Amino acid sequence: MSRKAFIRTGVLITFLTVLIQAVWALTMPAFRGPDEPHHVNSIMRLASGGGWPEPGQAMIDPAISEAGRQAGLILSADVPFTGEHRTKLLHGLSIGAKFADTPVTPHRLRSVIYPVAAQHPESVEVDQMTQHPPLYYAGGAALVKALDLEDAPWDRLVQALRLYGIALTIPLVPATIYTARRLGANRHWSLAAGLIPLAIPQIFGITAVVTNDTLAIGAGALVVAALVKAGTERISPTTVALVGGSLGFALWSKGLLLAFGLPLILVFMLADGERWRTRIAATLVSGSMALLIGWWWILNIVRYGVLQPAGYSRPVPAEWDPAAADFGHYATIAFRTFTKSFFSSYGWLEADFPAWLTWVLLTILVGGAVLAIVVAGRSRKTLLILMSPFAGLIVLLYAQGWLNYLSTSVVAGVQGRYLYPTLAAFGGVVLGLTALGRWGYRVFILFTVGVGLFGYAWLLRSAYPGPAWFDIERAAHVIGVPVPVLVIMLSVYLAVNAIIVLLMLAKTRGADLPAEPQAAAAAQETGHEPAAGHEPAADLSAWDEGRP
């Protein structure tokens, strides 16, 4: 495969993935993402000129609450969007009202959610989103203004904001492909790495809704790409600037992106063939650049004395005694919630996959990562550095969740979606699969696409259950489109997946080529000198001659 064909195919895979995301975004019932009403409220408050209040000071506007009622998320506009008041999807909790049985206002009668006030006398719930940086929300507000969406009904507004979020995640697939290639996978397996997100359906469940996670995912992917470049080249002003600049930008999404500070330090301090003075200088310059660009967190320390002030205080049961906290109980619930929500749990931690499927997917992902580390050879150190924030976030989330459990009795905040900004690092998983050759390549393609198809089918069943798997008329009514339009949308979804399979299987011939030494491909394709100890193969260009 030529370099041009490799790039063209990567662009095509990215475009097809965006189409799949768009179908998910149109299919997901409105306000069904975690805290989606709150994210929409903050965007519309900015669009209305309400600014960015202190954490805990902004409120959910009654117009948002009414839209939530019309969408069938809550039964009354006079209650908050908390668990006891939300309707439930199929495959979720068995208590409470079912979304499938809840009336949803027809499209022609759906209200407008503009303007939105920072504080309204009839508000019943805090909008905690002002604990985050405002960049994502400012972008959404700018979109609302640019497209004159102020007077659009809430369903069209939400759909537009969801597509805005999808655009922010575009770097994920190219960064995953780039990571695999820089670590030494051949071009065929590198392209296959771009399909890894398909095998984690909840990525599409999260990027299908209005949430600042979309900016975190896209920006996190850019950081991973910068890190893998830095890990496979000599230290240079370019790598120092790319790592520091990308992380600084990413810090404007969520505080969890601070976890990338660890690989920033490691990638420069453990660089091969460099003097200690160079390593230390690169670390200090890149880290300082990241903090200066992402100055929001420094401002928080100056203003509040903490990195991220809490925008919402969970009520503590009167009978709760922290001394009675059982770590075993906490760890069991946290692990189950964490693993389920990494692959499924659409909606507000609902619609879980069957437990056996979650275990299968988890085993394959962990097994693939371990195998890649074992066989990575010269790429092992860089791969471990890329995966360090993934492991670090798990420890951080469990520790934070335990402290929250001690103070409130509730196991919260331990969700798999918080790891998605690091996902591009898992492009390196294909290093452990290249030995499987053509048949392994075929199985990998079919497996990733197959899991993605099942994940979407599970969404349809969970949100719109019916005698024939799902109720297409109910789905069309909730989405706000005629049934024929929904049929076309579903047909597009199936066609896109078929195109991905045919496109990738047509390239099977080159899948049995051996993996390349770390940075060999990069040296040939970019002309940059690989890091010391990672010499390029003798003649990489010959690998692509005559290959499809």
Side-chain angles (χ1 to χ4, degrees):
M1 183 191 301
S2 68
R3 182 170 183 265
K4 288 184 178 180
F6 173 67
I7 294 174
R8 284 197 304 267
T9 306
V11 171
L12 180 56
I13 292 173
T14 301
F15 173 70
L16 294 174
T17 302
V18 168
L19 289 181
I20 292 175
Q21 290 177 279
V23 174
W24 274 75
L26 295 173
T27 304
M28 185 75 72
F31 305 114
R32 267 294 158 187
D35 299 322
E36 189 172 16
H38 306 71
H39 292 292
V40 173
N41 186 81
S42 282
I43 290 174
M44 296 308 294
R45 185 185 61 251
L46 279 175
S48 304
W52 203 248
E54 298 285 314
Q57 297 302 308
M59 301 296 291
I60 296 290
D61 194 273
I64 301 290
S65 298
E66 172 59 18
R69 184 199 67 78
Q70 294 181 11
L73 178 63
I74 51 179
L75 300 180
S76 168
D78 299 324
V79 298
F81 292 102
T82 48
E84 64 268 28
H85 299 294
R86 293 193 303 268
T87 58
K88 306 300 188 294
L89 298 181
L90 187 66
H91 304 123
L93 294 176
S94 58
I95 59 174
K98 298 296 183 184
F99 174 67
D101 301 327
T102 303
V104 173
T105 301
H107 167 69
R108 68 181 184 279
L109 300 177
R110 293 174 185 176
S111 61
V112 172
I113 51 177
Y114 181 89
V116 164
Q119 292 183 330
H120 192 283
E122 297 180 11
S123 297
V124 296
E125 184 177 2
V126 171
D127 176 2
Q128 74 270 28
M129 293 308 142
T130 54
Q131 69 186 8
H132 298 297
L135 180 60
Y136 166 79
Y137 305 92
L143 178 74
V144 170
K145 290 294 187 179
L147 300 182
D148 295 325
L149 295 175
E150 295 94 335
D151 296 326
W154 54 257
D155 56 346
R156 296 297 182 255
L157 173 67
V158 168
Q159 288 163 358
L161 292 175
R162 286 175 171 183
L163 295 178
Y164 154 68
I166 288 173
L168 298 178
T169 67
I170 287 176
L172 176 59
V173 171
T176 307
I177 295 172
Y178 180 76
T179 297
R181 184 63 173 153
R182 295 289 303 199
L183 291 175
N186 66 41
R187 287 171 177 158
H188 300 78
W189 275 104
S190 296
L191 291 172
L195 303 186
I196 289 176
L198 294 178
I200 309 175
Q202 177 66 329
I203 292 176
F204 293 85
I206 291 298
T207 61
V209 301
V210 182
T211 170
N212 63 350
D213 285 337
T214 54
L215 177 58
I217 291 170
L222 293 176
V223 179
V224 171
L227 287 168
V228 74
K229 178 178 175 64
T232 53
E233 291 183 10
R234 299 293 298 268
I235 293 177
S236 68
T238 299
T239 56
V240 170
L242 285 175
V243 173
S246 62
L247 178 53
F249 170 71
L251 292 179
W252 282 94
S253 59
K254 303 186 78 162
L256 290 174
L257 277 293
L258 287 164
F260 276 112
L262 175 60
L264 180 150
I265 295 172
L266 294 177
V267 78
F268 292 121
M269 293 301 292
L270 300 181
D272 291 322
E274 302 285 359
R275 293 178 299 175
W276 276 105
R277 185 172 62 182
T278 302
R279 298 176 185 181
I280 295 172
T283 303
L284 291 176
V285 171
S286 190
S288 299
M289 181 182 299
L291 290 175
L292 289 174
I293 295 174
W295 51 264
W296 179 264
W297 308 101
I298 298 176
L299 181 63
N300 277 348
I301 294 176
V302 172
R303 291 191 298 179
Y304 310 114
V306 295
L307 275 174
Q308 179 169 305
Y312 170 73
S313 298
R314 192 179 301 275
V316 182
E319 67 277 8
W320 172 244
D321 180 8
D326 181 354
F327 184 78
H329 171 73
Y330 161 76
T332 299
I333 295 178
F335 178 79
R336 184 166 61 243
T337 302
F338 195 83
T339 52
K340 289 192 302 184
S341 63
F342 186 82
F343 294 102
S344 61
S345 298
Y346 309 145
W348 297 60
L349 295 182
E350 309 166 87
D352 301 328
F353 281 171
W356 67 266
L357 179 57
T358 299
W359 275 105
V360 168
L361 295 175
L362 179 64
T363 301
I364 291 174
L365 180 65
V366 174
V370 171
L371 179 60
I373 292 171
V374 170
V375 305
R378 295 172 178 173
S379 299
R380 185 177 299 116
K381 181 177 67 177
T382 302
L383 180 57
L384 286 171
I385 289 173
L386 294 178
M387 290 188 171
S388 63
F390 187 90
L393 278 173
I394 292 177
V395 174
L396 176 64
L397 290 171
Y398 269 77
Q400 188 179 49
W402 170 247
L403 294 176
N404 183 73
Y405 176 62
L406 284 176
S407 60
T408 67
S409 80
V410 177
V411 179
V414 188
Q415 299 181 35
R417 65 187 172 97
Y418 295 139
L419 301 179
Y420 292 165
T422 70
L423 195 65
F426 279 81
V429 167
V430 298
L431 295 178
L433 305 177
T434 54
L436 300 178
R438 297 184 182 185
W439 73 267
Y441 178 84
R442 294 188 184 100
V443 170
F444 181 85
I445 301 304
L446 295 175
F447 172 78
T448 53
V449 175
V451 173
L453 286 167
F454 174 81
Y456 183 68
W458 194 258
L459 169 63
L460 291 174
R461 177 66 176 171
S462 300
Y464 315 108
W469 189 259
F470 81 104
D471 186 339
I472 192 170
E473 292 186 355
R474 164 78 174 180
H477 172 72
V478 171
I479 296 170
V481 298
V483 171
V485 172
L486 179 56
V487 171
I488 293 174
M489 189 172 75
L490 297 175
S491 300
V492 169
Y493 178 81
L494 293 174
V496 168
N497 280 273
I499 291 171
I500 290 175
V501 171
L502 295 175
L503 174 70
M504 297 302 293
L505 292 184
K507 301 182 182 302
T508 302
R509 183 181 173 190
D512 54 358
L513 294 171
E516 302 169 47
Q518 180 184 20
Q524 180 217 3
E525 293 182 358
T526 67
H528 289 102
E529 181 183 358
H534 301 305
E535 294 79 7
D539 186 9
L540 296 177
S541 60
W543 288 22
D544 294 321
E545 291 179 1
R547 298 292 181 180

